[in-house]
């Protein structure tokens, strides 16, 4: 939540505040992520705020969110900082684990956080049309979709979806033990590789996003959420 009296400081610093975890309910009403604020942000700023929000979530100190007011303030438009592609897993809720407000991020969710043309198009809309600067591919530990793909599950339309995870399975060759869902280190390695390969697929599938990244206007990054701790680790950390 953004406090109205903090907005001048946000503008001066070039940062924005996703959720006011340190503000009391007695303070003045909220602000929202405006186009002007969005344009002052760098990807580094966005990732830093997401990390801070996740740290609050892990510590049980998530901010207070006046959602009814945010609904009213965002009714005429939105300028999200980024778009997150996550798994449909009910334990992985980007808005909650990053402790953000309404209007702060776009979220796309599909089993195994895989990419297809529709999601790529959604990412293009987010970045090219509304100014989002971060594309985050977010995998998670103990992923049922990854386990299903590893074990060769076949079920209707799910069969084709899980097939998109197969390249990650094939690419992981250095983990000892059986190549089944019972081998946790193997599953974790496939989860990570699936994030990496999905990042590559986004660039290949969308020349629009690839060009925006080359121009320094956006960044495509990856991360893994730990369902046991609530912590998000960004790739490269």
């Amino acid at each position: 939540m953004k406090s109205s009296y903090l907005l001048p400081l946000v503008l001066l610093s070039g940062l924005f505040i996703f959720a006011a975890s340190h503000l009391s309910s007695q303070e003045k009403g909220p602000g929202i992520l405006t186009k002007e604020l969005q344009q002052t942000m760098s990807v580094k700023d966005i990732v830093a705020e997401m990390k801070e929000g996740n740290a609050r979530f892990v510590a049980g100190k998530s901010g207070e969110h006046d959602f009814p007011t945010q609904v009213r303030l965002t009714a005429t438009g939105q300028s999200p900082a980024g778009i997150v592609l996550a798994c449909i897993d009910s334990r992985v809720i980007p808005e909650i684990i990053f402790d953000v407000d309404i209007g702060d991020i776009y979220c796309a969710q599909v089993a195994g956080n895989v990419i297809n043309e529709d999601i790529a198009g959604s990412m293009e809309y987010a970045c090219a049309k509304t100014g989002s600067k971060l594309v985050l591919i977010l995998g998670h530990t103990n992923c049922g979709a990854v386990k299903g793909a590893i074990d060769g599950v076949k079920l209707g339309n799910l069969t084709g979806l899980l097939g998109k995870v197969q390249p990650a399975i094939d690419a992981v060759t250095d983990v000892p033990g059986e190549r089944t869902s019972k081998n946790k280190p193997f599953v974790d390695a496939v989860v990570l590789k699936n994030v990496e390969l999905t990042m590559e697929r986004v660039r290949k599938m969308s020349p629009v996003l690839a060009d925006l990244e080359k121009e320094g206007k956006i960044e495509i990054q990856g991360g893994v959420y730990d369902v046991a701790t609530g912590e998000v680790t960004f790739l490269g950390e």
Side-chain angles (χ1 to χ4, degrees):
M1 181 61 61
K2 306 141 189 103
S3 173
S4 59
Y5 74 83
L6 282 177
L7 291 182
L9 293 178
V10 174
L11 287 169
L12 286 172
S13 66
L15 300 176
F16 69 105
I17 298 177
F18 274 124
S21 61
H22 305 298
L23 301 182
S24 74
S25 60
Q26 302 301 315
E27 291 170 323
K28 293 186 178 181
I32 58 169
L33 183 55
T34 64
K35 189 66 175 180
E36 292 73 22
L37 290 177
Q38 182 206 58
Q39 292 176 344
T40 68
M41 297 182 295
S42 68
V43 174
K44 182 179 179 180
D45 297 330
I46 296 167
V47 171
E49 292 294 341
M50 293 178 79
K51 288 180 178 179
E52 290 179 13
N54 181 240
R56 291 192 298 270
F57 168 73
V58 172
K61 298 180 179 179
S62 296
E64 295 184 6
H65 301 269
D66 183 355
F67 291 133
T69 299
Q70 292 168 32
V71 168
R72 176 175 57 82
L73 292 176
T74 57
T76 58
Q78 59 176 338
S79 299
I83 178 168
V84 179
L85 170 58
C87 183
I88 62 166
D89 194 291
S90 64
R91 299 163 293 182
V92 186
I93 308 172
E95 296 93 336
I96 292 179
I97 65 178
F98 289 118
D99 193 25
V100 300
D101 287 329
I102 289 175
D104 283 338
I105 58 175
Y106 289 106
C107 292
Q109 293 185 258
V110 61
N113 43 273
V114 298
I115 188 72
N116 61 25
E117 291 180 354
D118 297 323
I119 294 175
S122 299
M123 290 175 173
E124 291 170 351
Y125 170 77
C127 297
K129 293 299 183 182
T130 68
S132 296
K133 298 180 180 180
L134 172 68
V135 174
L136 177 64
I137 311 302
L138 185 65
H140 70 93
T141 61
N142 201 29
C143 180
V146 168
K147 288 181 174 181
I150 289 173
D151 291 341
V153 170
K154 307 294 183 184
L155 177 65
N157 293 304
L158 180 62
T159 304
L161 188 155
L162 296 183
K164 293 181 171 66
V165 181
Q166 189 62 45
I169 299 171
D170 296 339
V172 176
T173 59
D174 58 351
V175 178
E178 59 183 351
R179 296 173 63 83
T180 72
S181 62
K182 296 179 181 180
N183 185 347
K184 184 179 182 301
F186 180 62
V187 172
D188 289 343
V190 174
V191 165
L192 178 58
K193 179 57 67 173
N194 187 49
V195 170
E196 295 173 343
L197 293 183
T198 300
M199 292 166 61
E200 293 180 11
R201 290 191 198 104
V202 170
R203 296 182 179 105
K204 292 178 181 178
M205 185 175 291
S206 174
V208 171
L209 296 173
D211 287 346
L212 286 173
E213 188 173 41
K214 289 176 183 176
E215 294 166 6
K217 295 179 179 179
I218 72 167
E219 286 187 21
I220 300 170
Q221 296 195 20
V224 175
Y225 174 74
D226 190 327
V227 296
T229 66
E231 184 176 2
V232 174
T233 300
F234 283 75
L235 269 60
E237 292 185 340

